[in-house]
Every structure is written in C-alpha cells, then in structure tokens.
Amino acid sequence: GKDYLISRPKGDLSLKGAQLGLKITGTVFDYPLDVTGQVGLGPDVGHYEVLVKAGKFPYDIFGHALPFMGLEAKVGAKDEIVHFDADATVLKGKVTMAGTVDIHREPATYQGELRVDAVNFTEFAKVYSPGNETEGDVTGHLKFTGVMDDWQKLKGGGVGIIVNANLYAVPILGPLTPLLGAFLPTPIKGYNVAKEANCTFQVADGFIVTEDFEALTSAFRLVLNGKVDFLNDRIDFNAQARMRGLPGLVLRPFSELVEYQAAGSVGDPKWS
C-alpha cells in the first residue's frame, strides 16, 4: 500500500506473444535499484515474476527505520496466489523471509517464515538501547500466518537466541540488570553478560508470549515468563534470578532466589 520514488529511472520493455518483459534501473533511497521480470498479458493477466534488487531499503521495525542493505526480493503471482522470497543484510546480520499471499480472499491472507542469523547486538543496541555497549549476536526464526492489515490476526511461533550479550542492552531486561547486581556482595566482572539467552515464543491475538526465557551469566541464572501486548505497547512479565553459589551473600537463604515483576511498556519497563 506504499509508493516509493524511483529517481533517474530508465529501462527496456519487450513484447513476445502474451509476455511483457521489463528491465528497469534507477535509484531508490539514493542507492541503486534494478528490477527485471515478466508480466502476463491477455489470458495470463495477473501472472508475473519480478526480481527486485535494492542497495538500501529502510523499513520500520518496532518504531525504528532499519536499513536493510543489499535487498533481493523475488515476487510472483499465479492463479491469485502471490509468492515472495526476500533476503537482505541488516545490522550486520542476515535476514530472510519467504511465503505466500492468497489474494483471491478478501481480505487477503498470508503465511510464511522469517529468519534472522547473527544480527550484530552492538548495532541492535545502538538503535533500540542507545548508551548500552554490548557485544554478541541474535539469531532466531518465526513461522507465521495472518490477514492483511489486521495485526491482531497475526499468529505463529518461533525461537530466539542471544549469544554473549550485555543484558543491560536487551529490551525489557535492561532496567532489571542493576537490581540483580545490587544483590552481589562485591562487583563481579561479567555478571551482566549472558553467554547465551534463549526462548521459545508464540504470537496470537496481539500478544507475544514466552514461558521459558532463560539467561545464564557468571553470577546468576535468570528465568522469565510473560507477554508483550504489541498493539498497545504494554508488558506483563515475571522473573526469577537464582544466584550461582557465590560466597558472601547476605540474608541467606532469601537472597539466593529473588523474584521480580514488570509492567509498563517495552521501551520503559517498570521492575519491582
């Protein structure tokens, strides 16, 4: 439903029987654009196969326009079924998405799978958690179904894995991390760095829900469950942190297991 301005366009059209061939070049977002493909005419009207290559294509993700670089998208349609297969580089990692859209329905329905591979957490934090330095990367996938223009009908499930990341920079968890550090008898290097954090999650009815988020650092094991209302930007989470046998902890045995609750928004969670 969006139009994008192609600057300095030029191209060739060729006609062979009931097939229109096209090759168009230009720039979009000040980067090269290249479009090639075929469009059916006559009895094949509505059938097409197009390959789009764009040097840069910003797209809004959770309120930030992320720069997808080196985008290649294959899009085609036949018998009112549109198939798409796109891949790009974003935040120094790889992103792919493939699926189909059934346009003979009204409204149209879709299904597909999204994969992210080794998205750089340093670059991620610069966008979503500025001021928090971190290393590590993010990998995951989501299988989904839905109805066009109705986010409440989005359904699916997937897995997320974060490796070697500073928990200060993880959305929702950031404000919880210093509260955990307050329980340590002395500063412990790396108490806030998760060698690995992972979870499975489900998406339905406007909510992202996880029951098994777990992060392991040198000082504690953190488990988390809760949900994000992504239509209204509200959260509801519970967390448990179990200290990993550190000497000198006060208030034993109570300080070995601490529990927290969070409300508020993704960008401004309130932990207590």
Side-chain angles (χ1 to χ4, degrees):
K2 291 184 179 180
D3 293 327
Y4 296 95
L5 178 65
I6 301 174
S7 300
R8 296 183 292 277
K10 64 179 181 179
D12 298 305
L13 301 178
S14 61
L15 187 62
K16 184 177 181 180
Q19 292 291 319
L20 175 68
L22 57 92
K23 181 176 177 58
I24 300 168
T25 61
T27 61
V28 63
F29 299 109
D30 297 320
Y31 278 75
L33 174 74
D34 183 271
V35 182
T36 57
Q38 290 190 329
V39 179
L41 306 175
D44 289 331
V45 66
H47 294 186
Y48 59 86
E49 291 283 342
V50 177
L51 172 63
V52 178
K53 297 181 179 180
K56 181 180 180 180
F57 195 85
Y59 194 79
D60 188 78
I61 305 291
F62 297 127
H64 295 271
L66 295 186
F68 289 83
M69 307 300 292
L71 171 69
E72 290 195 13
K74 297 178 182 178
V75 184
K78 187 175 183 179
D79 299 327
E80 296 190 294
I81 300 294
V82 178
H83 60 85
F84 57 90
D85 189 346
D87 63 79
T89 298
V90 64
L91 304 180
K92 298 184 179 179
K94 191 73 172 177
V95 177
T96 62
M97 186 169 66
T100 59
V101 182
D102 186 346
I103 59 175
H104 88 272
R105 299 172 180 267
E106 184 60 45
T109 60
Y110 58 84
Q111 62 84 32
E113 183 172 12
L114 170 70
R115 289 184 172 271
V116 297
D117 184 27
V119 167
N120 185 277
F121 213 73
T122 302
E123 300 299 316
F124 180 90
K126 287 179 182 177
V127 176
Y128 293 103
S129 186
N132 291 306
E133 296 182 0
T134 183
E135 298 180 352
D137 58 59
V138 183
T139 295
H141 68 84
L142 166 68
K143 290 186 176 181
F144 58 85
T145 63
V147 177
M148 295 296 286
D149 300 320
D150 188 348
W151 285 106
Q152 194 156 7
K153 297 290 181 62
L154 178 67
K155 297 183 183 298
V159 175
I161 300 172
I162 301 172
V163 179
N164 293 329
N166 183 341
L167 294 181
Y168 274 103
V170 178
I172 300 175
L173 287 183
L176 174 62
T177 309
L179 301 181
L180 296 173
F183 274 89
L184 302 177
T186 58
I188 295 177
K189 184 178 181 180
Y191 86 91
N192 57 330
V193 176
K195 292 298 181 184
E196 182 174 310
N198 59 75
C199 74
T200 60
F201 60 91
Q202 301 295 318
V203 181
D205 303 319
F207 291 91
I208 302 171
V209 180
T210 182
E211 300 291 344
D212 60 1
F213 181 96
E214 180 174 340
L216 194 64
T217 79
S218 61
F220 57 82
R221 173 177 172 264
L222 178 67
V223 295
L224 191 81
N225 65 78
K227 59 187 178 182
V228 177
D229 177 352
F230 61 82
L231 296 179
N232 298 300
D233 190 20
R234 308 301 298 172
I235 65 169
D236 180 12
F237 276 91
N238 297 294
Q240 287 187 344
R242 187 174 294 278
M243 304 306 170
R244 302 183 62 194
L246 300 172
L249 283 176
V250 296
L251 300 178
R252 285 179 178 274
F254 307 106
S255 62
E256 292 182 350
L257 178 65
V258 289
E259 296 186 332
Y260 300 89
Q261 289 184 319
S265 66
V266 173
D268 188 23
K270 305 295 185 184
W271 286 97
S272 59

